[in-house]
Amino acid sequence: MLFWGQRWAWWATAFMFILNNTFIQGLHCLTGAKYLNTMTGHGLCTIGFSAIVAVVSFFASLPRTFNTLAILGTASAFFTFISVILATIFSGIEDHPAGYPKLGEPRVLAIPEAGTTFVAGMSAFMNISYTFIGQITLPSFIAEMKNPRDFPKALWAVTIAEVILFSLVGAIIYAYTGNQYYTAPAFGSLSNELYKKVSFSFMIPTIIFLGVLYASVSARFVFFRIFAGTRHLGEHTVVGWATWAALLACTWVLAFIIAEVIPFFSDLLSLMSSLFDSFFGFIFWGMAYLRMCRADYGPDYYKNRGLRGTLGFVFNIILICIGLLFLSGGTYASVQSIVDGYNSSTYGTAFSCADNGL
C-alpha cells in the first residue's frame, strides 16, 4: 500500500526484514563469543563460542508466543539497565581507560577532529543511529497485544527511557575515555578487569534474549504465511512444531555464518544500520506519513492542512532523504571499513579462532 500496491515492494520489504533480523542474531552470536572469550581468557576457539551461543539461543527461541518472551524481555531490560549503569560508574571512578597512556591523554571533542575520514565519521554515525532505531519489530508486537490501541503509551515510555539512558551513558563514558580509548561495546574501555567482567556479565540475558526475539519475529513472519488458515497455526501439531523448529534452525545457522564472516562488532553494527535501518528507520515511516495523509486529506494535503501540513510534508521528505543517504553513503562507508579492517589484519580472517575478547 505504501508503494502504490506494487508487489515487488512487499517482497523487497519481506526480504530486508528477515535479513535484518538474521544479521542482528549474528551480532548476538558475535557478542556472546566476545563475552565468553573475555570471561575465560580465550578458553576455547571463538568459532566454538559462537556455536554455543547459537545453539543456546535456538532452544530459547522455541516458544511460539510472545507471552514467554515478554517475561524474558522484562528481565533483559532490567539487567541491561544495571549493566550500562555499572559501566558508566566504573568508567568514572577509574584512574584511566584501557590502553592509557599509549595514545596520550583522552581527547573529548564536540566535533570530529581534523583528518577524520568520511568512512570513519559515517561509520561512527551509523553506530549511534542503530542504538535508537528499533521500529522494525513494532508491527509484530502490536499484533500480539490484547489491546493494540495501548501501544502508543508503551512506545512513548520506551522511547523516552532509551533516549535518556543511552544518551547519558554514551556521553559520560565518552567523557572519561575520549576519542582514542572508546570502544564498541563500551565495556572494552574499562581498564580494571573486574569492573569489565562484572558490568559485561549483566548483559548475558540481553545477549540471549534480543537474538531470540528477532529469531522469533522472523520465524513467525514466515510461519504465519505458510500455515495461514490451517490448524497448524494455532494447534500443537507435529507438522507445525517441526516447521517452527526448522525455521528457527535456518535463521540461527545463517546468524552463526554471519558472525564468522563479519567478526567485528562496530562494522557489523554500521552495516546493519546502513542496509536496513535506512529503510525501516527512515524511508518506511516517511512514506507511511505521506501516503496516509494523502488517503485522509486528499492529494493536496500539504496545502489543505496549512502550516502543519507543509511542515509535516517537508519533515518527512527530509526523513526519506536521510534514509537514502544512509543506504548509499552509509553502506559504502561500512563496506570500506570492513575492507580496511581485513587489509590491515585488524580482525583476522573469516571463521577464525582468534581471540575477540575485550
Side-chain angles (χ1 to χ4, degrees), residues 94 96-104 106 180-181 183 188-192 196:
E94 283 189 334
H96 53 75
Y100 178 87
K102 183 178 180 181
L103 301 175
Q180 314 97 298
Y181 305 107
T183 64
S189 302
L190 301 175
S191 59
N192 186 298
K196 181 186 300 181

Side-chain angles (χ1 to χ4, degrees), residues 193-227:
E193 287 298 316
L194 179 60
Y195 290 169
K196 181 186 300 181
K197 291 179 179 179
V198 169
S199 56
F200 202 0
S201 292
F202 277 95
M203 286 297 293
I204 295 175
T206 301
I207 291 173
I208 299 299
F209 169 74
L210 276 186
V212 165
L213 175 64
Y214 281 95
S216 180
V217 169
S218 293
R220 291 161 63 81
F221 181 78
V222 178
F223 187 83
F224 284 5
R225 279 150 186 81
I226 293 175
F227 294 119

Side-chain angles (χ1 to χ4, degrees), residues 192-271:
N192 186 298
E193 287 298 316
L194 179 60
Y195 290 169
K196 181 186 300 181
K197 291 179 179 179
V198 169
S199 56
F200 202 0
S201 292
F202 277 95
M203 286 297 293
I204 295 175
T206 301
I207 291 173
I208 299 299
F209 169 74
L210 276 186
V212 165
L213 175 64
Y214 281 95
S216 180
V217 169
S218 293
R220 291 161 63 81
F221 181 78
V222 178
F223 187 83
F224 284 5
R225 279 150 186 81
I226 293 175
F227 294 119
T230 70
R231 65 189 185 92
H232 303 296
L233 190 64
E235 298 180 14
H236 295 291
T237 65
V238 173
V239 172
W241 276 105
T243 304
W244 176 257
L247 291 172
L248 289 173
C250 288
T251 65
W252 282 113
V253 169
L254 289 174
F256 168 76
I257 293 172
I258 290 170
E260 296 306 312
V261 172
I262 314 177
F264 20 88
F265 186 90
S266 180
D267 287 337
L268 184 52
L269 275 184
S270 296
L271 185 62

Side-chain angles (χ1 to χ4, degrees), residues 148-343:
R149 294 185 182 277
D150 284 338
F151 192 80
K153 303 173 187 176
L155 180 60
W156 275 105
V158 169
T159 302
I160 291 171
E162 73 175 2
V163 169
I164 293 174
L165 177 65
F166 290 120
S167 296
L168 286 175
V169 167
I172 293 171
I173 294 179
Y174 173 70
Y176 284 103
T177 59
N179 269 20
Q180 314 97 298
Y181 305 107
Y182 203 97
T183 64
F187 306 110
S189 302
L190 301 175
S191 59
N192 186 298
E193 287 298 316
L194 179 60
Y195 290 169
K196 181 186 300 181
K197 291 179 179 179
V198 169
S199 56
F200 202 0
S201 292
F202 277 95
M203 286 297 293
I204 295 175
T206 301
I207 291 173
I208 299 299
F209 169 74
L210 276 186
V212 165
L213 175 64
Y214 281 95
S216 180
V217 169
S218 293
R220 291 161 63 81
F221 181 78
V222 178
F223 187 83
F224 284 5
R225 279 150 186 81
I226 293 175
F227 294 119
T230 70
R231 65 189 185 92
H232 303 296
L233 190 64
E235 298 180 14
H236 295 291
T237 65
V238 173
V239 172
W241 276 105
T243 304
W244 176 257
L247 291 172
L248 289 173
C250 288
T251 65
W252 282 113
V253 169
L254 289 174
F256 168 76
I257 293 172
I258 290 170
E260 296 306 312
V261 172
I262 314 177
F264 20 88
F265 186 90
S266 180
D267 287 337
L268 184 52
L269 275 184
S270 296
L271 185 62
M272 290 191 301
S273 186
S274 61
L275 285 177
F276 309 117
D277 290 341
S278 58
F279 181 73
F280 290 111
F282 293 93
I283 298 173
F284 183 91
W285 300 102
M287 286 299 301
Y289 175 88
L290 298 179
R291 295 286 285 145
M292 291 171 69
C293 283
R294 182 183 177 87
D296 291 341
Y297 304 105
D300 295 327
Y301 63 90
Y302 52 90
K303 299 178 183 178
N304 299 338
R305 303 184 69 203
L307 182 62
R308 180 180 179 183
T310 302
L311 291 178
F313 177 80
V314 172
F315 178 76
N316 283 276
I317 290 295
I318 293 174
L319 276 187
I320 294 172
C321 290
I322 292 174
L324 293 173
L325 173 63
F326 274 30
L327 185 60
S328 55
T331 301
Y332 162 76
S334 301
V335 172
Q336 187 59 52
S337 183
I338 293 171
V339 172
D340 292 344
Y342 271 121
N343 289 340

Side-chain angles (χ1 to χ4, degrees), residues 100-121:
Y100 178 87
K102 183 178 180 181
L103 301 175
E105 292 298 320
R107 297 192 304 274
V108 178
L109 306 172
I111 59 175
E113 59 185 339
T116 300
T117 65
F118 173 79
V119 171

Side-chain angles (χ1 to χ4, degrees), residues 116-130:
T116 300
T117 65
F118 173 79
V119 171
M122 182 61 81
S123 295
F125 187 73
M126 301 308 297
N127 267 223
I128 295 170
S129 67
Y130 176 84

